[in-house]
Amino acid sequence: MCELSHAIGRQIGALVDRAGHVQHLMVGDAVRIYIPDLERNRAARLRELRLIHTHLRGEGLSQEDLYDLTLLRLDYVTAITIDADGMPDRFFSAHLMGGVARGYVLEEPAAPGRLPENFREVLQEIENSYRVEELQLKKASGLPRALLVGVYTPEMRRRRSPEDSQAELRELCRTAGVEIAGEVIQRRPNLDPMTLIGSGKAREVSIEAVQKNAEMMIFDLELSPSQARRLSQITDLKIIDRTQLILDIFARNAKSRDGKLQVELAQLAYLKGRLSETDDNMSRLTGGIGGRGPGETKLEIGRRRVNEKIARLEEELKGLRKRRELNRRTRGRSDIPIVSIVGYTNAGKSTLLNALTRSEVFAENRLFATLDPTTRRIRFPKEREIILADTVGFIHDLPPALSRAFQATLEELADSHLLLHCIDAADPARDQKIAAVEDILATLQLGAIPCLRVYNKCDLLDEEARQFLARGDAVQVSAASRQGLEELMQIIEGRVFEAPWKKTGEGAPDTESGIEDPGQRDGTRIGPAAGIAG
């Protein structure tokens, strides 16, 4: 190899299996060789191949060599330098090893004829190290492991700090049942159009993912189909973006037929643009005589089936939408006011509903635990009652593909007479999340509906923080310990029944509240509060 490489001025390499058989022979240029596309097998600890190649400039192992070793899971990589006569000069070798910081071990350079002869013993040691590491990981959790990757431009950092965004991504992973192997945060002036993070950084994080035994990478952005494919090719790992992670959580938590259909529709809309052609043997030729292809490609068949299923789901959802509209009209004729709880996901909305109505609606400390709208009735003195509705939580930068999964909730919100904005008072990112929810409400054209801020989990605050929150028009409660609920009920009753509104068909003023009716109003809509203090 050295003689030939010296004669032609090109690197020569061979991939050799453990039995000593040459599986691939490669000829590169003066500075590198090009490894062929090997069969992907993420489940194997090692690929049972070693790379042996020449270096013409006397250099040792390059970063590219170590990248190939780590990412391709090779047993060994060895670079042989060549002297002036075209003979071997030094052997530079490295091998993988579980449980070490870098994931690989660099051996001391060896002269020809002085190479160690314990190759099989070293391989057995490597296999044992990975076996011990895998047993430790399985005992720890048994969950799939992921490396979290966040890339943020100056514009994105102005809207939200990378630390807060990564914290929310961690919560999404916990909800989805994913163990976090590590995190990578990159600050860039602009996003790379091909990989978001750049090809060099992609290689770097892929090595880190392999070293930390991560099975996938989860990005804190929505990736385009081409970006996801490119990253998958570079890293040889499963690539998941923020949208796909939220869709998976929605699919887990949807219980009603309506909710399941809407989540499936959102998944298909997301999948539609990500179908790729992997077999070009059936590619369609140009039309006309002599140019007709043998039929539809697999890609075309896949897209047609997805479009057919999307059309079928949309038709079924139309029927369910008509049924919801009928239910809302029935509630409207009963003149029962509707109070909806809105807020950021995991702010305690379902717990608040349970505390106010003494119900047992499913509530859990994880994101999007509630996906399907839930309603309960509350009866006040003087034979008054309201319908209290729990809704799905909002989240920063909700992708358009997920908006359909909120459709049932959004339709319910439009008929609300009062919105209770449930806020996690102990959340360090509280103000950002308040602004995000209010922006979403304004986007949905719900800003005209009266809204009361309800600071939940106030039992976790100190006295100074409580005094600060008490300055605004809001109420402080703890749904878990039932603190402040009586005051909240009084404020709700005042906002709904003592405000100047009137039921359909009534011409007399509301004698119970003593407030004169200012004129004819919408029979189901509550007007603004009449001086009721928060």
Side-chain angles (χ1 to χ4, degrees):
M1 285 177 60
C2 291
E3 288 177 345
L4 287 171
S5 185
H6 180 69
I8 65 176
R10 294 170 176 263
Q11 290 189 10
I12 296 177
L15 285 171
V16 186
D17 64 18
R18 293 184 182 181
H21 300 139
V22 176
Q23 300 296 325
H24 297 277
L25 188 64
M26 300 150 286
V27 179
D29 54 26
V31 295
R32 65 175 57 88
I33 58 172
Y34 301 94
I35 298 177
D37 187 19
L38 302 176
E39 181 183 355
R40 307 295 185 183
N41 187 6
R42 299 189 187 96
R45 298 186 189 95
L46 298 172
R47 201 176 290 272
E48 301 186 4
L49 291 173
R50 46 185 159 153
L51 171 63
I52 304 170
H53 68 296
T54 58
H55 275 186
L56 301 177
R57 301 178 179 179
E59 72 276 20
L61 291 172
S62 65
Q63 286 297 321
E64 191 168 355
D65 291 331
L66 297 174
Y67 168 77
D68 292 334
L69 169 71
T70 305
L71 200 58
L72 298 178
R73 312 298 287 175
L74 300 173
D75 289 350
Y76 254 83
V77 60
T78 298
I80 309 173
T81 58
I82 305 173
D83 61 19
D85 299 324
M87 299 301 292
D89 183 33
R90 285 287 187 273
F91 289 75
F92 296 86
S93 298
H95 62 81
L96 296 177
M97 180 66 73
V100 298
R102 291 186 298 184
Y104 58 85
V105 174
L106 290 171
E107 295 185 351
E108 291 293 327
R114 297 193 178 186
L115 294 173
E117 298 181 359
N118 60 341
F119 181 66
R120 293 189 181 276
E121 289 79 3
V122 173
L123 284 180
Q124 188 61 47
E125 184 182 355
I126 296 172
E127 293 283 4
N128 290 338
S129 70
Y130 281 111
R131 190 176 295 111
V132 170
E133 193 172 55
E134 285 178 0
L135 287 174
Q136 291 174 346
L137 292 174
K138 286 181 180 178
K139 289 180 180 178
S141 68
L143 299 174
R145 291 169 60 83
L147 180 69
L148 308 188
V149 182
V151 52
Y152 306 97
T153 63
E155 182 182 353
M156 297 166 65
R157 297 199 295 272
R158 282 194 294 270
R159 297 199 310 264
R160 196 181 189 197
S161 71
E163 291 73 22
D164 289 340
S165 189
Q166 284 287 103
E168 184 170 275
L169 186 62
R170 288 195 297 271
E171 280 298 301
L172 287 169
C173 289
R174 184 178 69 86
T175 302
V178 175
E179 182 182 357
I180 299 172
E183 298 182 33
V184 175
I185 295 180
Q186 185 189 33
R187 294 169 172 85
R188 292 176 57 96
N190 296 293
L191 298 178
D192 183 81
M194 295 186 66
T195 61
L196 289 185
I197 58 178
S199 299
K201 187 67 173 181
R203 289 189 173 191
E204 181 183 323
V205 297
S206 63
I207 291 176
E208 183 175 349
V210 171
Q211 291 170 347
K212 294 182 177 179
N213 285 281
E215 305 168 26
M216 64 185 79
M217 287 187 190
I218 300 180
F219 282 76
D220 191 24
L221 281 173
E222 183 174 3
L223 301 171
S224 69
S226 60
Q227 289 169 342
R229 284 194 297 270
R230 177 64 175 163
L231 285 166
S232 181
Q233 291 170 356
I234 293 176
T235 65
D236 197 23
L237 293 170
K238 185 176 182 180
I239 303 299
I240 294 177
D241 61 11
R242 188 171 180 265
T243 302
Q244 194 172 357
L245 186 64
I246 295 175
L247 276 172
D248 182 78
I249 296 172
F250 279 14
R252 288 172 178 233
N253 295 344
K255 299 296 187 294
S256 69
R257 174 64 176 165
D258 200 348
K260 290 178 179 179
L261 287 176
Q262 291 178 79
V263 171
E264 185 178 3
L265 187 60
Q267 288 176 326
L268 289 173
Y270 176 84
L271 174 66
K272 182 179 176 181
R274 286 161 173 79
L275 294 174
S276 62
E277 179 66 86
T278 59
D279 182 8
D280 58 0
N281 292 330
M282 296 287 287
S283 59
R284 182 184 295 277
L285 304 178
T286 57
I289 301 297
R292 294 190 178 93
E296 287 182 300
T297 65
K298 293 179 180 179
L299 178 60
E300 290 168 335
I301 293 173
R303 284 176 176 167
R304 178 167 52 81
R305 288 176 177 172
V306 167
N307 287 331
E308 289 173 354
K309 193 162 188 179
I310 287 176
R312 186 165 63 250
L313 290 175
E314 287 179 341
E315 195 64 30
E316 189 170 352
L317 283 170
K318 283 181 183 178
L320 294 173
R321 194 175 300 120
K322 291 179 181 178
R323 188 181 305 171
R324 289 198 304 269
E325 179 66 26
L326 182 60
N327 292 337
R328 287 199 301 274
R329 289 178 181 176
T330 302
R331 288 200 301 265
R333 286 194 295 268
S334 65
D335 293 330
I336 300 178
I338 300 172
V339 177
S340 297
I341 305 175
V342 299
Y344 211 82
T345 181
N346 206 29
K349 297 180 297 299
S350 297
T351 306
L352 180 61
L353 176 77
N354 288 336
L356 291 174
T357 63
R358 300 187 183 276
S359 303
E360 295 182 358
V361 173
F362 178 75
E364 191 174 346
N365 183 24
R366 57 187 177 93
L367 304 186
F368 299 112
T370 300
L371 185 60
D372 301 306
T374 305
T375 57
R376 294 291 185 272
R377 288 198 181 199
I378 297 181
R379 185 175 294 276
F380 292 94
K382 305 179 183 178
E383 296 300 319
R384 295 169 169 173
E385 63 180 7
I386 64 170
I387 294 176
L388 188 64
D390 181 24
T391 63
V392 68
F394 296 130
I395 195 168
H396 268 284
D397 301 324
L398 185 69
L402 302 181
S403 60
R404 288 185 180 273
F406 285 86
Q407 188 167 0
T409 296
L410 302 184
E411 291 174 353
E412 298 292 337
L413 288 179
D415 293 327
S416 300
H417 301 79
L418 176 67
L419 300 179
L420 301 182
H421 182 179
C422 184
I423 303 164
D424 184 352
D427 192 335
R430 177 186 62 210
D431 294 337
Q432 292 180 352
K433 293 182 177 180
I434 291 174
V437 171
E438 292 178 348
D439 287 344
I440 293 173
L441 292 176
T443 302
L444 300 174
Q445 300 180 347
L446 300 174
I449 301 176
C451 184
L452 172 66
R453 288 187 179 182
V454 180
Y455 287 100
N456 191 20
K457 308 180 186 181
C458 284
D459 53 331
L460 304 179
L461 300 178
D462 55 27
E463 187 60 32
E464 182 180 356
R466 290 191 180 189
Q467 291 292 337
F468 176 78
L469 294 179
R471 296 184 302 176
D473 181 20
V475 59
Q476 302 179 34
V477 303
S478 171
S481 62
R482 303 189 64 81
Q483 298 177 25
L485 294 186
E486 184 176 349
E487 178 188 1
L488 175 60
M489 293 290 284
Q490 293 174 356
I491 294 175
I492 292 174
E493 186 177 13
R495 290 283 182 104
V496 172
F497 293 106
E498 296 180 11
W501 74 293
K502 107 183 208 185
K503 297 180 180 180
T504 304
E506 286 189 341
D510 184 349
T511 57
E512 293 179 342
S513 64
I515 299 177
E516 293 293 331
D517 183 74
Q520 185 68 29
R521 289 182 180 267
D522 182 5
T524 59
R525 186 70 56 149
I526 304 296
I532 304 299

